[in-house]
Amino acid sequence: MQKTCKRKQLQLDGRSQKSPKSTTEEPYPCHHRPTAEECRVVRDELLALHGFPPEFLKYRRHRLMKMEPFSNEAQAEPLINSDDGDHKEESVLDGLIKIVLSQNTTELNSQKAFASLKSVFPTWEDVYAAETKSLENAIRCGGLAPRKASCIKNVLSCLHERKGKLCLEYLRDLSVDEMKSELSNFKGVGPKTVACVLMFNLQQDDFPVDTHVFEIARAIGWVPAVADRNKTYLHLNRRIPNELKFDLNCLLYTHGKLCRKCTMKGSSQKKLTSKDCSCPLSVNVVEG
């Protein structure tokens, strides 16, 4: 068996090798936050503060297009300026590689790296046939080029070996657990990347936990102070209503980038308090 298809220890986006088994697991059964009402209030407050993040509008539209017309999320209040003019749906493989390139870098740099990749190698077949060094050079502006190039090469090699073509659209016909299992088999694809692909590209009700979401969840008491990211993922996916997951996740991510009081990098033991009145999330804190 080729080594490229074996699951390795190195992960780009998390310390654990395996993604959580199921969003029905509950690591903190006695922690009853957030409530559905809290989630809705925070979503509304952040939407009023930031508006809906324009970089996520196309994904939101594709989600709504695939839903039953009378589902709770499809009937959600319309967002202002919700049409960004980009009506082409992103392929699952494109989405996965974009997320891989976004690891440990800025959004701007990851966008530049993907644009450079597609400019040098117009098709995934071109990337598959290219020398690894050439791929590294194409994505170098996104940082960690050797690691990310290795991950991309592994994904493409495994797909070619298993499926005979470079395409992940078959995932759409699988169950959620099967989707997670398939994606987790790729070296360098960890729990957060899997959850992002599910939410953005496979239109599933999942709630990725990146650094911003994790820090905010701890700061406002939605998880215990001792929570780690994987258990936070399991807890929030259990507690947050499905119809709020996408909007709330995008808004928390955006707020985390903009509000230093919520993420408080370098001082993770601090908690947001009601004295931090400039942040709308301060009113959601239960102070001990």
Side-chain angles (χ1 to χ4, degrees):
M1 174 181 267
Q2 293 184 10
K3 292 183 179 180
T4 55
C5 289
K6 292 181 180 179
R7 194 180 299 182
K8 305 290 185 180
Q9 281 113 11
L10 181 62
Q11 298 290 335
L12 286 177
D13 66 345
R15 294 180 176 85
S16 174
Q17 293 185 57
K18 299 178 181 179
S19 74
K21 293 180 181 179
S22 170
T23 55
T24 62
E25 296 179 26
E26 175 52 275
Y28 307 117
C30 296
H31 195 88
H32 302 302
R33 299 185 67 200
T35 65
E37 180 58 24
E38 278 185 295
C39 294
R40 192 171 299 278
V41 168
V42 169
R43 189 277 309 268
D44 291 346
E45 288 176 342
L46 294 182
L47 184 59
L49 178 65
H50 300 297
F52 195 82
E55 64 267 31
F56 301 129
L57 284 173
K58 66 177 181 180
Y59 299 107
R60 189 180 194 276
R61 183 177 60 251
H62 290 309
R63 287 178 63 85
L64 296 180
M65 288 172 59
K66 291 179 179 294
M67 289 177 180
E68 292 294 332
F70 299 107
S71 69
N72 289 335
E73 191 171 355
Q75 294 187 81
E77 53 269 35
L79 297 174
I80 299 174
N81 298 326
S82 60
D83 189 352
D84 63 348
D86 185 0
H87 295 279
K88 184 179 179 180
E89 185 171 12
E90 183 176 82
S91 75
V92 180
L93 184 54
D94 276 27
L96 172 60
I97 302 307
K98 278 186 177 181
I99 295 165
V100 168
L101 291 174
S102 74
Q103 303 304 325
N104 304 106
T105 191
T106 65
E107 188 173 329
L108 179 60
N109 284 343
S110 69
Q111 290 174 351
K112 288 181 178 178
F114 187 78
S116 174
L117 172 65
K118 298 299 281 187
S119 175
V120 176
F121 306 109
T123 70
W124 292 120
E125 287 74 18
D126 293 332
V127 179
Y128 174 71
E131 294 292 332
T132 300
K133 199 67 180 178
S134 298
L135 175 56
E136 290 178 16
N137 290 334
I139 63 174
R140 196 168 301 282
C141 59
L144 299 177
R147 290 170 60 183
K148 293 176 182 180
S150 176
C151 176
I152 293 170
K153 277 289 194 177
N154 177 73
V155 169
L156 299 180
S157 295
C158 288
L159 279 175
H160 187 270
E161 179 182 330
R162 296 173 189 165
K163 303 294 181 181
K165 60 180 180 179
L166 306 180
C167 179
L168 283 172
E169 298 306 305
Y170 72 93
L171 293 177
R172 299 185 188 276
D173 298 324
L174 304 182
S175 69
V176 171
D177 285 342
E178 289 171 335
M179 291 175 183
K180 290 183 178 182
S181 178
E182 287 283 305
L183 290 167
S184 297
N185 280 329
F186 297 123
K187 173 189 171 183
V189 176
K192 190 193 77 173
T193 294
V194 171
C196 285
V197 173
L198 261 66
M199 185 178 78
F200 288 117
N201 300 105
L202 294 169
Q203 291 81 43
Q204 299 299 315
D205 295 318
D206 216 85
F207 197 83
V209 176
D210 76 325
T211 300
H212 300 301
V213 173
F214 178 49
E215 293 294 345
I216 291 176
R218 290 202 301 176
I220 64 178
W222 280 11
V223 291
V226 297
D228 61 28
R229 271 174 56 169
N230 277 349
K231 289 183 179 178
T232 297
Y233 168 82
L234 293 170
H235 179 74
L236 294 183
N237 267 284
R238 175 84 176 198
R239 300 290 306 178
I240 297 172
N242 284 341
E243 67 269 18
L244 298 179
K245 284 180 178 176
F246 183 83
D247 288 1
L248 184 57
N249 194 276
C250 294
L251 288 162
L252 285 173
Y253 168 80
T254 298
H255 188 68
K257 290 195 302 179
L258 300 175
C259 181
R260 293 183 179 273
K261 290 182 178 179
C262 281
T263 52
M264 291 178 286
K265 296 185 183 299
S267 185
S268 60
Q269 298 302 313
K270 292 183 180 179
K271 279 194 173 184
L272 196 66
T273 71
S274 58
K275 296 178 182 179
D276 296 315
C277 55
S278 61
C279 174
L281 298 189
S282 62
V283 299
N284 294 283
V285 174
V286 175
E287 298 181 45

